[in-house]
Amino acid sequence: MKILHTSDWHLGRCLYGRKRYGEFSAFLDWLARTIEDEKVDALLVAGDVFDTSTPSNRAQELYYRFLCRVGASCCRHVVVIAGNHDSPSFLNAPRELLRALNVYVVGSVTDALDDEVIVLRKNPQISQIDADGVDAIICAVPYLRDRDIRIVEPGETIDDKNRKLVDGIKKHYETVVSLAEQKRYNLCKSAQSADKYIPIIALGHLFTAGGKTVDGDGVRDLYVGSLAHVGGEVFPSSIDYLALGHLHVPQAVGSAEHIRYCGSPIPMGYGEAAQEKKVVLIEFNPQITGMDPDKSTKKEISGNQRNLRITEKTVPCFQQMVRIVGSLDDIHAKLDELKKEKSSAWLEIEYTGSNITGNLREVLDGAIADSTMEIRRIKNRRVMDRVMSTIAENETLDDLDANDVFIRCLETFDVPDEDRQGLTSSYNEIIKSLHEQDVNAE
């Protein structure tokens, strides 16, 4: 059985106002072809399908068109969970209709945790099955919101909240995986197949301890106090593979190669521009079916009961993004180099020269006038330093984010350093609760 792990599509995301539908469409076309070429049996999408809780019509069109194409391919199953950027009710709304395409959607935690346990049948048309008729059992755990896993109590400290969040995540996975183990036992018992092994594969969307991030990747802190202490030991050992989403850098969790982030498929910002993007191909029983590693990074690990092979497949770059930092001469030299390459890159340029250049935008626009490159952002460091040092009167909220405004408030009211940690944690909790509101729910 072959499974493809992807996540963090963020369909509809813009780059400094520039629509990116061409990139998203090209990625989804590539993904569909990869599924067909590799003869993938199941696709896992580990959250953040869309960039916002109210995606545009174009973003929705890309999503549903892709699902229809995959539904008509060799891929027998698609499992989608919600991430922290997704609206649970929006993702869940068409789930009964999508079941006709063998697409399983889990947007939020329900009272019946059995809803998160999905049995992947070899033949989805047959309702009565035993162990021989099952490919795998999926624990489709969506993004766990604070209210899903923690009861608020008066007088709690930040450490109390963090501990209860970790305990809540651990308990949730233990319960769902236990239900999956019971299903597996019943299936094997009914078929009298004691030696038949059905893999348990879990999904999740969270931030694990030691996880790698990059500047400008848009990853929001998921938990109060920037909690990043969910270690691999939180997850039950009976999970054969855990497909995670949220972090945009492809990586394994600690030394556990079977617990992995595949990362985002396209760069979400210039911090990711030079990063090689991946999807992860997992194969059970590799000694039978084999796999051609071609030019992909190949890693093999041993599962709990049977061997599995993990292959990272590189996603092509669909739109070049280049960040240029330096003096005016440095910038012109890099632009000339890109023009010789006939590049169509989207540029972020940061001027760090010693001279103040007030007409930098005009100069740089002229430098690329005879090319197909686009300047998406210019950072004039010298002008910015002067503005910040003099606290210019023309500074607006557009120049700041919410965190900047909060820090300015602390400074304006001379809040002592010893009080800032508690106030900042409370502020983060409020912001997190705003992000978690499902605006589509009724």
Side-chain angles (χ1 to χ4, degrees):
M1 180 187 184
K2 284 187 177 181
I3 299 168
L4 193 63
H5 167 202
T6 179
S7 73
D8 296 276
W9 296 352
H10 289 275
L11 299 178
R13 189 180 183 89
C14 296
L15 183 68
Y16 300 128
R18 182 65 156 83
K19 303 293 185 183
R20 306 180 70 181
Y21 293 120
E23 286 176 89
F24 293 123
S25 180
F27 161 68
L28 293 176
D29 284 343
W30 175 86
L31 186 61
R33 290 195 305 271
T34 299
I35 288 170
E36 293 163 358
D37 293 344
E38 295 287 348
K39 296 180 173 54
V40 170
D41 299 297
L43 174 68
L44 310 180
V45 186
D48 281 354
V49 177
F50 298 104
D51 194 54
T52 70
S53 59
T54 54
S56 67
N57 291 341
R58 183 76 182 278
Q60 295 178 54
E61 178 187 355
L62 291 173
Y63 174 59
Y64 293 118
R65 186 176 65 189
F66 170 79
L67 292 180
C68 287
R69 177 173 175 179
V70 172
S73 72
C74 61
C75 186
R76 297 195 300 272
H77 318 281
V78 179
V79 181
V80 181
I81 63 167
N84 59 302
H85 280 253
D86 295 310
S87 162
S89 56
F90 181 87
L91 276 189
N92 277 338
R95 64 182 173 183
E96 296 303 324
L97 182 61
L98 291 176
R99 284 292 296 274
L101 297 174
N102 299 314
V103 177
Y104 304 86
V105 178
V106 181
S108 61
V109 173
T110 65
D111 292 335
L113 292 187
D114 195 56
D115 292 342
E116 296 176 22
V117 180
I118 302 166
V119 177
L120 300 186
R121 299 176 172 87
K122 293 183 183 296
N123 186 344
Q125 307 304 320
I126 299 176
S127 57
Q128 296 297 324
I129 55 170
D130 58 23
D132 293 327
V134 173
D135 280 327
I137 298 177
I138 305 293
C139 298
V141 179
Y143 166 56
L144 299 173
R145 285 167 163 74
D146 195 337
R147 62 179 177 271
D148 298 328
I149 55 176
R150 181 174 73 92
I151 297 175
V152 178
E153 297 179 3
E156 286 182 320
T157 65
I158 295 302
D159 288 339
D160 291 335
K161 294 175 182 178
N162 289 347
R163 176 182 51 79
K164 289 171 71 174
L165 283 167
V166 174
D167 289 345
I169 293 169
K170 182 177 182 180
K171 182 178 179 181
H172 188 95
Y173 272 93
E174 286 176 347
T175 303
V176 174
V177 172
S178 177
L179 291 170
E181 290 173 339
Q182 186 62 49
K183 281 184 182 290
R184 178 169 65 186
Y185 173 79
N186 292 338
L187 287 165
C188 292
K189 184 179 179 181
S190 66
Q192 297 183 344
S193 303
D195 59 343
K196 169 71 176 179
Y197 187 74
I198 302 172
I200 292 178
I201 301 161
L203 286 85
H205 193 91
L206 43 78
F207 199 150
T208 56
K212 300 174 186 174
T213 62
V214 294
D215 291 338
D217 62 4
V219 173
R220 296 175 186 159
D221 292 330
L222 291 183
Y223 302 111
V224 180
S226 302
L227 176 70
H229 306 293
V230 181
E233 70 279 359
V234 164
F235 307 107
S237 61
S238 56
I239 295 174
D240 289 292
Y241 182 82
L242 177 53
L244 293 176
H246 181 55
L247 301 187
H248 293 176
V249 180
Q251 59 194 287
V253 175
S255 60
E257 290 289 340
H258 70 295
I259 305 177
R260 303 187 70 84
Y261 291 94
C262 60
S264 59
I266 68 172
M268 295 296 127
Y270 283 92
E272 298 181 41
Q275 188 185 109
E276 194 171 49
K277 294 301 185 179
K278 309 278 189 179
V279 295
V280 180
L281 191 63
I282 311 103
E283 185 182 5
F284 290 87
N285 258 352
Q287 67 274 20
I288 295 175
T289 58
M291 180 187 295
D292 180 7
D294 46 68
K295 295 181 180 179
S296 303
T297 302
K298 177 184 173 185
K299 294 188 171 112
E300 294 185 21
I301 67 170
S302 176
N304 296 312
Q305 301 291 335
R306 71 186 334 181
N307 291 332
L308 62 149
R309 180 178 293 167
I310 294 174
T311 306
E312 292 181 328
K313 294 191 69 67
T314 300
V315 180
C317 176
F318 304 107
Q319 172 60 57
Q320 186 183 17
M321 293 166 55
V322 177
R323 187 168 187 263
I324 305 173
V325 180
S327 66
L328 202 54
D329 289 341
D330 295 333
I331 293 169
H332 278 298
K334 182 61 177 178
L335 292 177
D336 289 340
E337 178 185 330
L338 290 170
K339 284 195 288 187
K340 289 178 182 178
E341 297 171 358
K342 300 188 183 303
S343 172
S344 297
W346 292 350
L347 308 174
E348 180 182 68
I349 299 175
E350 181 175 353
Y351 170 68
T352 59
S354 56
N355 298 324
I356 294 178
T357 306
N359 64 336
L360 186 60
R361 165 63 74 172
E362 296 176 16
V363 171
L364 296 180
D365 281 343
I368 65 165
D370 56 347
S371 75
T372 56
M373 292 185 289
E374 296 181 22
I375 298 176
R376 300 311 321 150
R377 188 186 190 194
I378 294 176
K379 297 169 69 176
N380 194 333
R381 179 59 59 189
R382 290 292 166 257
V383 171
M384 289 171 63
D385 290 344
R386 171 169 288 191
V387 167
M388 294 305 295
S389 64
T390 57
I391 313 180
E393 295 180 0
N394 62 347
E395 184 179 57
T396 68
L397 286 177
D398 290 336
D399 302 313
L400 308 172
D401 61 24
N403 193 53
D404 292 330
V405 174
F406 181 73
I407 292 172
R408 296 287 181 87
C409 287
L410 295 178
E411 294 172 349
T412 299
F413 289 96
D414 296 322
V415 176
D417 290 341
E418 60 269 21
D419 295 337
R420 292 195 179 195
Q421 182 178 359
L423 287 172
T424 301
S425 297
S426 298
Y427 168 77
N428 288 338
E429 185 173 3
I430 293 169
I431 295 299
K432 185 178 80 71
S433 67
L434 293 175
H435 284 314
E436 289 187 351
Q437 288 180 0
D438 187 358
V439 297
N440 299 298
E442 293 185 355

